[in-house]
Amino acid sequence: SSTNALMEKLHLKYQQRPWTETLKLVHFCMGKPRKPDSNAADGPLLTCMEKIQRMINGLLLFIWLDVLFSLSSPLRLNAHVSPSGTTCYITSNMFYVEVQLEMDGNVVEVKLAHLGDAPVVKFIFSQLFLFGRMKNYNAFGKILEELSNMYQIPGDSEMKAKGYLALQALEKDLYSMSLLHRSEDLNRVMEVLHGKVGHLVPRAGGTPMNIEFYISPYQILEEELNPGSQVCGTKTVVTVEGTDTLHKLPLSPLLADSQGGEDGNPAFLPLTDELSMDLPAFFVLKFHQPIPMSLSSIEMIQRLTGINHLVSGIQITGLKLAPLYELIVQSTLKEKGSEDVSTYKSHFFVSLPDCPKHCYFINNGSEKSDSAGALVNNVPFSHPQCVPGVIEILRHQVAYNSLISSCVSDKHINEDGTEPLYFEVAPHKNTSFSVFFLHPVKENLASVTIDVITSREIQCHLHLNPQDPTLNSSDDFITRAVKR
């Protein structure tokens, strides 16, 4: 209370004084007499603001350096500052990142150097800091994490460096394969659906190479209606992971003929001791979200890659098997943001324009092996020649999943009370399924069997009771309609 009283007295004493006398008093108390040329009342304020700005700039630089240190520590990376105080080095035994800053905290450029390589400016790093730099800490930290993960291979620095060389060799072969038989007018969607390795984006800094290998018909339509929207399809990233067992991995590119062999498939050099090395690692196609895959698809990939597990360290017999349709329904509801992914609700209401509402019952099928599946997070392999075949199997599976998931919605209740059309979707065999519905004239059931032959080819067959009248829909018409 005494302090408040004192401040009140001071306020009353000086509230009538002119601003110039207040300035004189402040300068007198500070022991700094006014300069002769500083007659303007705002001169001292400008000087003070400049000092504050310098302090803020120094604070921003300090904040940046502090953030870089905090991002490095959890990843067990070392960080230190240059003598000038404006360059931060984030280092490991295998690589280092050089972040050059100005005194005001702005990022000048970011360089990356792997073991034995000269530092290279990486624009993907620098672009993170061009706009809204306070919001990009996590993105930068993610790139540092991905860089560290590239070297998570058992062994010493030399062994880890060999693992990086193997990844480089694989990436070069995959990029070369992506150019095989590629026409100049090939657009992204066609490359995704028909390219030997899909639409490939090379690794940039710590961001792994990624392959976009499937885009659904609905997404294609969305992109056609909104040119330039760049709808994102199903992707996988290409990386290398450590294992408990040795695998022979190439240390140099193996693609021998840039034009492909006589059958149109890539021709590779033999995997000799000079071109390869036994390493405690394998290559991995890793998915952003687990893909529901049938048991037959999993076994096909295993035969193709020669590696008996699709999830690190888990044999196929140890995969958590479940009805494939149950997994597809759960994954679809999760993608739609549904809070309830319970499999107890197997019926879904779907509204279509100019058409009665549909109600789909998803029949999970029995527990027999041909209707079982598992969620697959990644596909390990050891040779680049496996990738085109694996991509084709993945396309086939995701195309099949897309058809089943088109019958799934987050609507379990018929809210408007209108009478819907009822359908039951049930697995048939391999990659085919049946859709049952009531005959529009008779009270018997009719069905359409849809066989997904490949990701680009389907066949449909209408089945009626022989005693029921025919419908004005041929197999060819239904096939063309579903394909469209």
Side-chain angles (χ1 to χ4, degrees):
S1 60
S2 60
T3 302
N4 291 337
L6 177 60
M7 294 303 295
E8 182 64 25
K9 289 181 181 179
L10 288 171
H11 181 262
L12 292 173
K13 180 177 180 180
Y14 289 101
Q15 66 179 348
Q16 302 299 327
R17 297 289 183 90
W19 177 241
T20 52
E21 290 190 15
T22 303
L23 284 177
K24 289 179 182 178
L25 179 61
V26 170
H27 280 284
F28 176 78
C29 293
M30 292 177 64
K32 295 181 179 180
R34 293 183 65 186
K35 295 180 181 179
D37 58 345
S38 184
N39 296 321
D42 58 351
L45 294 178
L46 292 174
T47 302
C48 184
M49 289 176 65
E50 290 173 357
K51 291 180 179 179
I52 292 174
Q53 186 63 53
R54 286 196 295 271
M55 291 297 294
I56 290 175
N57 290 343
L59 181 62
L60 287 174
L61 178 62
F62 174 79
I63 290 173
W64 254 123
L65 295 174
D66 185 61
V67 166
L68 294 175
F69 273 75
S70 64
L71 291 174
S72 308
S73 180
L75 301 173
R76 296 183 178 180
L77 300 175
N78 300 314
H80 63 274
V81 182
S82 66
S84 65
T86 57
T87 302
C88 181
Y89 296 92
I90 301 171
T91 65
S92 74
N93 292 336
M94 307 309 301
F95 69 90
Y96 75 85
V97 177
E98 177 184 334
V99 184
Q100 296 181 10
L101 302 137
E102 294 178 337
M103 289 302 297
D104 60 0
N106 286 326
V107 176
V108 179
E109 65 181 14
V110 183
K111 296 180 179 180
L112 170 66
H114 291 277
L115 183 67
D117 295 339
V120 178
V121 176
K122 290 295 180 182
F123 294 104
I124 189 170
F125 283 119
S126 303
Q127 287 170 353
L128 288 175
F129 308 115
L130 290 178
F131 303 102
R133 58 178 180 268
M134 301 294 276
K135 299 179 182 179
N136 289 300
Y137 294 157
N138 291 337
F140 185 70
K142 180 65 176 176
I143 290 179
L144 289 179
E145 181 181 359
E146 290 171 337
L147 273 172
S148 298
N149 290 341
M150 287 170 50
Y151 293 102
Q152 296 303 312
I153 298 173
D156 55 16
S157 297
E158 182 179 355
M159 188 68 73
K160 294 178 186 294
K162 296 294 185 184
Y164 176 66
L165 285 177
L167 179 62
Q168 277 188 315
L170 170 68
E171 291 172 339
K172 290 177 181 177
D173 277 338
L174 292 181
Y175 182 73
S176 298
M177 278 191 278
S178 72
L179 301 178
L180 288 175
H181 313 296
R182 180 178 178 177
S183 60
E184 294 182 0
D185 59 344
L186 185 67
N187 60 38
R188 186 181 70 91
V189 171
M190 292 297 291
E191 189 175 19
V192 169
L193 296 176
H194 299 276
K196 194 165 287 292
V197 291
H199 177 68
L200 185 147
V201 178
R203 174 167 54 89
T207 303
M209 171 182 283
N210 72 78
I211 294 173
E212 187 178 8
F213 60 87
Y214 183 78
I215 185 168
S216 71
Y218 183 84
Q219 291 173 314
I220 295 172
L221 179 62
E222 186 177 349
E223 187 159 296
E224 288 175 354
L225 296 175
N226 301 285
S229 58
Q230 286 286 308
V231 176
C232 181
T234 307
K235 291 183 176 182
T236 179
V237 298
V238 181
T239 185
V240 63
E241 289 188 356
T243 64
D244 296 331
T245 55
L246 294 176
H247 299 273
K248 187 176 287 293
L249 300 183
L251 298 182
S252 300
L254 298 177
L255 192 65
D257 187 354
S258 60
Q259 301 301 317
E262 294 180 359
D263 57 357
N265 292 319
F268 293 93
L269 297 171
L271 203 60
T272 62
D273 292 338
E274 290 76 16
L275 297 177
S276 65
M277 181 176 179
D278 288 330
L279 295 173
F282 49 34
F283 303 129
V284 176
L285 297 178
K286 186 178 292 187
F287 310 116
H288 297 288
Q289 298 293 336
I291 296 178
M293 296 190 69
S294 67
L295 197 55
S296 59
S297 294
I298 293 174
E299 291 171 344
M300 287 172 61
I301 290 179
Q302 287 181 335
R303 287 194 296 270
L304 186 63
T305 61
I307 296 179
N308 293 323
H309 47 285
L310 294 186
V311 181
S312 300
I314 302 179
Q315 299 297 321
I316 181 61
T317 54
L319 280 173
K320 186 177 180 180
L321 298 179
L324 177 62
Y325 282 23
E326 182 179 309
L327 298 174
I328 294 174
V329 168
Q330 288 179 330
S331 297
T332 304
L333 290 175
K334 188 175 181 181
E335 287 178 10
K336 293 179 181 292
S338 176
E339 296 180 359
D340 181 14
V341 295
S342 169
T343 57
Y344 296 110
K345 297 176 180 177
S346 59
H347 64 280
F348 307 95
F349 290 93
V350 178
S351 297
L352 299 172
D354 303 322
C355 180
K357 185 176 294 183
H358 288 193
C359 180
Y360 290 97
F361 290 84
I362 307 294
N363 185 330
N364 288 334
S366 64
E367 294 298 326
K368 58 184 180 179
S369 60
D370 59 356
S371 63
L375 290 176
V376 175
N377 295 289
N378 56 53
V379 175
F381 62 100
S382 59
H383 197 289
Q385 69 181 3
C386 301
V387 176
V390 170
I391 291 295
E392 197 56 38
I393 296 172
L394 293 174
R395 281 177 177 146
H396 193 179
Q397 182 68 64
V398 177
Y400 183 84
N401 295 357
S402 296
L403 281 169
I404 305 303
S405 64
S406 69
C407 305
V408 179
S409 75
D410 54 2
K411 303 294 183 183
H412 302 289
I413 301 174
N414 189 10
E415 297 173 346
D416 58 14
T418 58
E419 185 65 20
L421 297 175
Y422 292 96
F423 302 88
E424 180 182 358
V425 180
H428 183 55
K429 60 180 180 179
N430 297 328
T431 55
S432 64
F433 62 95
S434 296
V435 181
F436 297 92
F437 56 95
L438 193 64
H439 192 288
V441 178
K442 296 292 184 176
E443 293 185 356
N444 292 325
L445 284 177
S447 71
V448 172
T449 300
I450 301 176
D451 187 8
V452 185
I453 299 171
T454 70
S455 63
R456 295 171 290 274
E457 183 182 359
I458 60 172
Q459 286 184 355
C460 301
H461 300 282
L462 175 64
H463 303 279
L464 301 173
N465 187 311
Q467 299 176 354
D468 290 343
T470 60
L471 299 178
N472 188 25
S473 294
S474 66
D475 290 351
D476 179 63
F477 173 79
I478 299 173
T479 297
R480 286 188 286 111
V482 174
K483 189 171 183 179
R484 180 183 175 90

